[in-house]
Amino acid sequence: MKRTLCAFSMLASVAGASYAQSSVTMYGVVDLGLKIENAGSGRVVGIDSGNQSVSRIGFKGTEDLGNGLKANFVLEAGFNADNGSQSDATRFFNRQSYVSLSGGFGEVKLGRVQTMVFTNSSVFDPFSDTLAGDSVRIFNYGGSRIDNTVNYSFAAQNGINGQAAYSFGEVAGSTSAGRTVAGAIGYASGPIAAVLTYQNTNNATATDSTKTTLIGGNYNFGLLQPFIAYAMNKGFGTLDTRDSLIGLKVNLTAADTIMASYMHKSDKAISNANANQIALGYTHNLSTRTNLYTSWGRLRNDANAAYRVTAAGKTDNLFNVGIRHKF
């Protein structure tokens, strides 16, 4: 009997130790604010969700497998906090949905993950793909998430980091139709951060593809933090554009930040189809989890361009002010 109790105690101890080495966390963001926008068909005023960060709820976990190896997962669902609906009615975990193994070699993810440009946007965009200055308003990200992906990433001690990704098109009879191949190499050490990304996506018949190459970075002087980026986009018929950005963060205090950027889209294939945007933003941290924000942006299209507007040649004017809470 004593042996049985001893064995049970040992098993319970092992199980308890194993459990202690695993963790599951529920987290989320609720972001709501006043949005005033005129995209060419009159002013629209209302409460909008996700001005700075998409409102979301997520679950993430990790298990220590020993010898530095860990199993991880992320399941993340976006929602519209202004009306309670799903941000994507066709799927619940519409943001990230993956399982991974990580260790000294880096991390390998399987599932729905961030696209290569989107993953690195905070390196070259002072707005970090948020608010009225969001670089995706002009830059070609190739989407923010991508399905059916194998993604490998690493970060070395010397500051060099990188990623490689392969997304299956899953088209019957073809391994190249709908396929995406992407990669990035970057450097982040001290005040310097820079990245070079590449993404190539085939169409549904593998007869054409769109290619985006982007280089960008920033240097943190303390109070001032300048940003710069340049991208080339080609493919899908006559697509041949260039995107450029110069930006600045002013780190006033630990709680207060001003952002500004100017972006230009140059169309090499279509005449009179360029676009320009100027934007300003401000955030104030009330705590480590809650902040206030406001931003303004003006995106002007040439006669044959229609970025973020209801008709070609129109100008988009966007203003928002709101609150974001993380939990």
Side-chain angles (χ1 to χ4, degrees):
M1 182 67 177
K2 288 182 178 180
R3 288 181 179 179
T4 303
L5 289 173
C6 183
F8 180 79
S9 177
M10 290 176 64
L11 287 172
S13 298
V14 171
S18 177
Y19 181 79
Q21 293 171 354
S22 301
S23 66
V24 176
T25 303
M26 185 178 77
Y27 64 95
V29 176
V30 181
D31 181 331
L32 281 170
L34 174 69
K35 178 181 177 181
I36 304 173
E37 184 172 18
N38 188 335
S41 298
R43 181 187 300 172
V44 177
V45 181
I47 298 297
D48 198 37
S49 175
N51 293 307
Q52 185 175 16
S53 297
V54 172
S55 297
R56 73 197 70 168
I57 186 167
F59 305 88
K60 60 183 178 180
T62 183
E63 180 186 10
D64 191 338
L65 301 175
N67 298 317
L69 186 66
K70 294 181 180 180
N72 317 283
F73 77 89
V74 170
L75 298 170
E76 196 173 271
F79 63 90
N80 301 307
D82 54 332
N83 59 26
S85 64
Q86 292 177 221
S87 57
D88 184 343
T90 64
R91 50 183 152 189
F92 186 71
F93 292 117
N94 65 305
R95 292 177 60 78
Q96 294 198 90
S97 174
Y98 69 80
V99 65
S100 74
L101 284 175
S102 62
F105 59 88
E107 184 173 16
V108 178
K109 300 175 182 176
L110 299 176
R112 178 172 170 82
V113 300
Q114 295 177 341
T115 59
M116 203 61 62
V117 176
F118 183 79
T119 297
N120 292 283
S121 58
S122 62
V123 176
F124 63 85
D125 181 359
F127 284 86
S128 298
D129 68 84
T130 66
L131 299 174
D134 186 354
S135 51
V136 78
R137 289 171 59 80
I138 280 184
F139 275 61
N140 179 27
Y141 275 35
S144 56
R145 310 292 190 285
I146 190 163
D147 300 333
N148 308 313
T149 300
V150 180
N151 178 286
Y152 168 69
S153 61
F154 72 91
Q157 291 184 349
N158 60 4
I160 296 175
N161 57 80
Q163 287 188 68
Y166 185 97
S167 303
F168 294 86
E170 298 191 351
V171 176
S174 175
T175 58
S176 56
R179 177 191 65 194
T180 294
V181 178
I185 187 71
Y187 179 80
S189 181
I192 302 174
V195 67
L196 171 66
T197 72
Y198 175 79
Q199 184 164 301
N200 185 333
T201 300
N202 291 343
N203 64 8
T205 58
T207 57
D208 200 356
S209 66
T210 181
K211 307 174 186 67
T212 294
T213 304
L214 180 146
I215 186 169
N218 72 83
Y219 192 98
N220 192 341
F221 290 97
L223 174 64
L224 301 180
Q225 188 174 357
F227 290 73
I228 190 169
Y230 182 79
M232 298 182 293
N233 313 292
K234 292 190 175 185
F236 279 5
T238 60
L239 176 65
D240 188 5
T241 61
R242 306 291 184 271
D243 306 323
S244 54
L245 175 152
I246 54 172
L248 182 69
K249 265 188 181 180
V250 182
N251 303 305
L252 294 174
T253 69
D256 299 276
T257 303
I258 295 173
M259 301 88 72
S261 69
Y262 170 79
M263 294 186 290
H264 176 70
K265 167 80 78 173
S266 176
D267 198 312
K268 303 296 184 181
I270 304 173
S271 62
N272 204 22
N274 299 337
N276 302 278
Q277 175 177 287
I278 186 170
L280 294 170
Y282 169 71
T283 63
H284 172 70
N285 295 330
L286 298 174
S287 69
T288 56
R289 295 188 298 167
T290 305
N291 72 278
L292 304 175
Y293 61 78
T294 186
S295 67
W296 166 84
R298 179 180 173 84
L299 197 169
R300 186 183 63 81
N301 289 279
D302 287 351
N304 293 324
Y307 297 98
R308 304 289 165 171
V309 292
T310 56
K314 299 289 187 178
T315 295
D316 179 71
N317 288 284
L318 172 63
F319 171 81
N320 50 46
V321 57
I323 182 171
R324 179 182 67 171
H325 176 72
K326 302 177 182 178
F327 62 89

